[in-house]
């Protein structure tokens, strides 16, 4: 079953509590702390452009890549309404093919890398990011933590009833391979006021901080900082989002 198809059209509505402006500010503080001049950015798994668009409005030259045609379509519509021209490419990031190198920054936000289940595939993306960066370039990304996927989301069910969309979200965590299966059902109101049902299945891998750092080392990165939950402190055992800042 494909991911982020019909979900793409209600994604922003269901994620309306996420502070994307705060996320952008945090990224800019990271860049400032690393004392690297960043003008161009390649964003992997850019989704509906919730970071891509505000970064473009801040005059970064940014290109976004995502596997979902539908998510990119929503991003394009949003950018057009803002009067912004975006470079958006439909690609599976595990098969990343980007011709411009010597980049200032490669970015992947909102746990995009949790969707990569295989160590070798993840290492492949990290190696491509390393190759694309200029010397002293930054590779910035986050993951949903092992704690979040296994303890907070794992084996729990969520749901919400809104005016135009209702969803049910059931999760199953498997310790034998550290994966989280997410079964999502959406009921979306059409123009006649009737609700159409759509279903998607998502799978994410729960990585530990140590696993990610090890794969980064194998990919060429040695200068790595790790932060928890939008701070500049080491992640705690209960941190739900872990940020990695890697300098080439």
């Amino acid at each position: 079953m494909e991911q982020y198809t019909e979900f793409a059209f209600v994604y922003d509505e269901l994620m309306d509590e996420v502070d994307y402006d705060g996320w952008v500010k945090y990224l800019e503080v990271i860049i400032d702390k690393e004392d690297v001049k960043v003008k161009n950015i390649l964003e992997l798994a850019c989704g509906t452009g919730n970071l891509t668009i505000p970064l473009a409005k801040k005059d970064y030259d940014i290109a976004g890549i995502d596997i979902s045609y539908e998510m990119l379509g929503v991003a394009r519509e949003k950018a057009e309404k803002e009067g912004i021209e975006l470079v958006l490419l439909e690609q599976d990031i595990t098969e990343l093919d980007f011709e411009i190198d010597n980049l200032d920054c490669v970015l992947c936000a909102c746990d995009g890398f949790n969707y990569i289940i295989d160590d070798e595939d993840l290492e492949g993306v990290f190696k491509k990011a390393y190759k694309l960066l200029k010397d002293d370039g930054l590779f910035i990304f986050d993951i949903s933590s092992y704690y979040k996927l296994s303890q907070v989301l794992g084996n729990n069910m969520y749901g919400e009833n809104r005016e135009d969309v209702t969803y049910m979200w059931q999760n199953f965590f498997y310790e034998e391979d550290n994966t989280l299966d997410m079964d999502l059902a959406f009921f979306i109101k059409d123009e006649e006021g009737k609700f159409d049902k759509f279903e998607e299945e998502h799978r994410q891998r729960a990585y530990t901080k140590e696993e990610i750092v090890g794969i980064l080392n194998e990919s060429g990165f040695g200068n790595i900082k790790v932060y928890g939950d939008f701070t500049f402190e080491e992640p705690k055992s209960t941190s739900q989002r872990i940020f990695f800042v890697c300098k080439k």
Side-chain angles (χ1 to χ4, degrees):
M1 187 178 294
E2 292 187 29
Q3 302 168 348
Y4 292 108
T5 52
E6 295 298 330
F7 185 19
F9 303 108
V10 294
Y11 180 85
D12 286 341
E13 180 179 349
L14 297 179
M15 299 294 158
D16 57 0
E17 293 184 359
V18 177
D19 182 10
Y20 291 110
D21 288 336
W23 206 310
V24 169
K25 290 178 182 177
Y26 180 65
L27 292 172
E28 290 201 297
V29 173
I30 289 175
I31 292 169
D32 186 61
K33 283 175 67 69
E34 293 299 320
D35 195 26
V36 174
K37 183 179 180 181
V38 172
K39 176 61 177 176
N40 55 66
I41 300 173
L42 174 63
E43 184 185 1
L44 309 180
C46 66
T48 62
N50 288 317
L51 297 182
T52 327
I53 293 169
L55 286 169
K57 290 171 72 173
K58 287 178 171 288
D59 292 327
Y60 292 99
D61 295 329
I62 187 165
I65 291 176
D66 201 275
I67 195 172
S68 169
Y69 174 84
E70 290 81 3
M71 295 284 272
L72 291 174
V74 174
R76 287 191 184 94
E77 288 184 10
K78 288 159 59 176
E80 287 175 3
K81 289 179 181 179
E82 297 270 4
I84 296 170
E85 292 186 12
L86 283 182
V87 176
L88 298 172
L89 304 173
E90 183 185 351
Q91 280 187 27
D92 182 340
I93 60 174
T94 63
E95 301 173 0
L96 180 61
D97 182 16
F98 195 70
E99 295 182 356
I100 301 173
D101 57 9
N102 208 37
L103 296 173
D104 300 330
C105 180
V106 176
L107 170 68
C108 185
C110 307
D111 55 60
F113 285 148
N114 287 105
Y115 279 94
I116 300 179
I117 307 300
D118 184 76
D119 285 2
E120 291 185 3
D121 286 340
L122 189 61
E123 184 176 334
V125 179
F126 288 178
K127 285 181 175 178
K128 289 174 183 175
Y130 187 89
K131 184 177 180 181
L132 288 170
L133 286 169
K134 69 179 184 181
D135 289 342
D136 288 335
L138 296 177
F139 183 30
I140 305 171
F141 64 92
D142 64 79
I143 61 168
S144 285
S145 69
Y146 191 99
Y147 167 77
K148 178 182 178 181
L149 294 190
S150 64
Q151 301 297 318
V152 178
L153 299 182
N155 303 316
N156 282 316
M157 185 172 184
Y158 301 88
E160 187 175 4
N161 184 19
R162 300 194 179 192
E163 183 177 350
D164 296 323
V165 58
T166 296
Y167 76 88
M168 292 184 293
W169 172 19
Q170 190 166 11
N171 302 317
F172 306 92
F173 187 78
Y174 301 99
E175 291 186 0
E176 57 268 26
D177 58 3
N178 296 323
T179 57
L180 178 74
D181 284 353
M182 297 173 279
D183 294 338
L184 296 92
F186 302 91
F187 301 85
I188 303 174
K189 185 185 290 186
D190 63 19
E191 295 179 355
E192 298 178 356
K194 299 178 181 179
F195 283 84
D196 296 318
K197 181 181 179 182
F198 302 96
E199 294 180 284
E200 290 191 11
E201 296 176 0
H202 291 231
R203 171 170 285 187
Q204 289 192 353
R205 162 87 178 271
Y207 290 96
T208 65
K209 178 187 75 171
E210 292 75 17
E211 286 174 324
I212 295 292
V213 170
I215 298 172
L216 284 167
N217 289 156
E218 291 293 325
S219 305
F221 290 101
N223 187 345
I224 303 166
K225 296 181 177 69
V226 186
Y227 303 125
D229 291 331
F230 296 94
T231 70
F232 292 97
E233 300 175 357
E234 278 283 318
K236 301 176 182 177
S237 61
T238 55
S239 293
Q240 296 195 33
R241 190 165 298 280
I242 301 179
F243 288 83
F244 297 83
V245 181
C246 316
K247 184 180 288 187
K248 181 173 177 179

